[in-house]
């Protein structure tokens, strides 16, 4: 299918080297963790720790608390900036869609992270949410042209299930362990495979059917607000961690099908 339209602005190139920060973070932060119920943020935190990520290298953005489950809590991004511990490799955003545009602008302004994971659904998928999605895209594009932000963070999502990175020792899927049991005892042994999927449900179903495959990476792309299938293929074609790249694609952003095919070639 081919669609014609008037010319649009050119989207600045994404700093694809920061996908390495996304998949192999040393310092990780998360916002949206509830201290009294199992919301998405809390489940993600539990799964990250269960996979073996060092809690000393984590921080939770949460007002009114200094620690939660042994992890330092900070009230906001300004406190993170003033903590003196440096920029986060990965910042996981597990808050409602209404909060995302302002938060993304703040992350970029504070230069808080190299990579950001937008778990939040409801961005750009309905008519009412398109303005919010547009604000996010505008902020990301503006950061790419600023000389003081190093191209800004790369963003995975929105509306994504997140990432399981066995080399990175973390799991950000928001499915409780009791609903999707995982054998974490053998997380040190995995196949040299990356599974990249636009549909989180497809990936969960297939990986549950064939747990023996144990891919090194399972990446849920979501609606490709920033990082695309072509970006992931471009990154993984040169990776020394994988020999096989498996992709479930439902659609490509403008010109990204071409970038994808070039990477495949």
């Amino acid at each position: 299918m081919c669609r014609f339209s008037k010319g649009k602005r050119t989207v600045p190139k994404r700093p694809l080297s920061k996908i390495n920060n996304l998949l192999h973070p040393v310092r990780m932060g998360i916002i949206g963790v509830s201290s009294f119920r199992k919301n998405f943020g809390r489940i993600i935190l539990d799964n990250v720790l269960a996979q073996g990520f060092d809690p000393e290298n984590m921080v939770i953005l949460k007002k009114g608390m200094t620690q939660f489950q042994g992890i330092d809590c900070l009230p906001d991004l300004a406190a993170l900036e003033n903590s003196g511990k440096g920029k986060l490799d990965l910042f996981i955003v597990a808050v409602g869609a209404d909060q995302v545009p302002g938060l993304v602008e703040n992350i970029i302004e504070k230069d808080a992270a190299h990579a950001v994971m937008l778990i939040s659904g409801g961005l750009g998928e309905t008519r009412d949410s398109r303005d919010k999605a547009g604000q996010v895209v505008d902020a990301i594009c503006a950061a790419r042209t600023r000389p003081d932000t190093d191209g800004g963070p790369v963003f995975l999502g929105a509306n994504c299930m997140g990432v399981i990175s066995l080399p990175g020792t973390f799991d950000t899927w928001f499915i409780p362990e009791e609903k999707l049991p995982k054998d974490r005892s053998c997380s040190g042994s995995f196949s040299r495979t990356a599974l990249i999927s636009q549909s989180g449900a497809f990936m969960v179903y297939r990986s549950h059917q064939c747990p023996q495959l144990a891919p090194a990476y399972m990446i849920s792309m979501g609606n490709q607000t920033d990082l695309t299938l072509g970006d992931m293929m471009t990154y993984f074609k040169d990776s020394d961690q994988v020999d096989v790249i498996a992709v479930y694609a439902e659609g490509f952003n403008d010109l990204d099908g071409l970038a994808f095919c070039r990477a495949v070639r």
Side-chain angles (χ1 to χ4, degrees):
M1 182 177 69
C2 183
R3 180 169 55 197
F4 294 88
S5 66
K6 292 182 178 180
K8 300 177 183 177
R9 67 182 178 188
T10 302
V11 177
K13 289 186 177 180
R14 292 171 285 280
L16 299 189
S17 62
K18 295 183 181 182
I19 295 176
N20 192 58
N21 301 92
L22 170 71
L23 299 178
H24 312 105
V26 175
R27 294 196 68 227
M28 185 187 300
I30 181 170
I31 185 170
V33 175
S34 172
S35 58
F36 57 88
R37 65 186 178 90
K38 289 279 188 176
N39 68 340
F40 281 179
R42 178 75 171 274
I43 295 167
I44 291 169
L45 176 65
D46 290 345
N47 286 340
V48 167
L49 297 176
Q51 195 61 51
F53 195 83
D54 188 351
E56 292 188 2
N57 291 329
M58 288 198 71
V59 64
I60 300 171
L61 260 63
K62 189 170 184 62
K63 292 181 179 179
M65 299 184 74
T66 57
Q67 275 207 339
F68 180 69
Q69 293 186 358
I71 299 170
D72 290 339
C73 297
L74 295 173
D76 49 35
L77 286 172
L80 177 65
E81 184 182 32
N82 297 328
S83 67
K85 293 185 178 181
K87 187 189 296 190
L88 297 171
D89 289 292
L90 173 59
F91 186 44
I92 302 167
V93 174
V95 298
D98 288 346
Q99 302 175 56
V100 170
L103 186 57
V104 165
E105 291 173 2
N106 203 8
I107 292 167
I108 293 170
E109 181 64 31
K110 302 294 184 186
D111 195 21
H114 292 290
V116 181
M117 191 180 295
L118 300 176
I119 302 294
S120 316
L123 272 176
E125 294 150 25
T126 64
R127 183 175 297 176
D128 294 339
S129 68
R130 284 174 191 161
D131 287 344
K132 294 185 182 67
Q135 291 175 42
V136 171
V137 172
D138 288 344
I140 294 170
C141 289
R144 299 275 147 81
T145 60
R146 283 172 49 182
D148 60 329
T149 60
D150 189 28
V154 291
F155 290 80
L156 182 69
N159 191 32
C160 73
M161 279 195 55
V163 171
I164 294 178
S165 170
L166 298 186
T169 64
F170 74 93
D171 169 1
T172 70
W173 286 11
F174 50 79
I175 301 177
E177 192 85 13
E178 57 271 19
K179 290 188 177 181
L180 186 66
K182 297 170 187 171
D183 183 5
R184 301 190 190 275
S185 63
C186 60
S187 59
S189 60
F190 44 81
S191 64
R192 293 173 54 82
T193 304
L195 174 57
I196 306 161
S197 176
Q198 271 185 270
S199 167
F202 175 88
M203 189 161 51
V204 169
Y205 178 65
R206 290 300 187 187
S207 62
H208 186 61
Q209 277 188 320
C210 307
Q212 70 277 10
L213 293 179
Y217 305 95
M218 289 193 280
I219 302 166
S220 166
M221 296 299 299
N223 60 16
Q224 303 181 91
T225 298
D226 187 36
L227 287 174
T228 65
L229 292 166
D231 292 337
M232 286 299 176
M233 181 61 73
T234 300
Y235 172 83
F236 276 116
K237 74 179 175 61
D238 297 322
S239 171
D240 59 4
Q241 297 281 344
V242 302
D243 301 316
V244 176
I245 306 166
V247 181
Y248 176 78
E250 295 176 340
F252 293 95
N253 288 0
D254 289 348
L255 299 181
D256 191 55
L258 182 59
F260 183 90
C261 289
R262 284 174 174 156
V264 170
R265 177 189 287 177

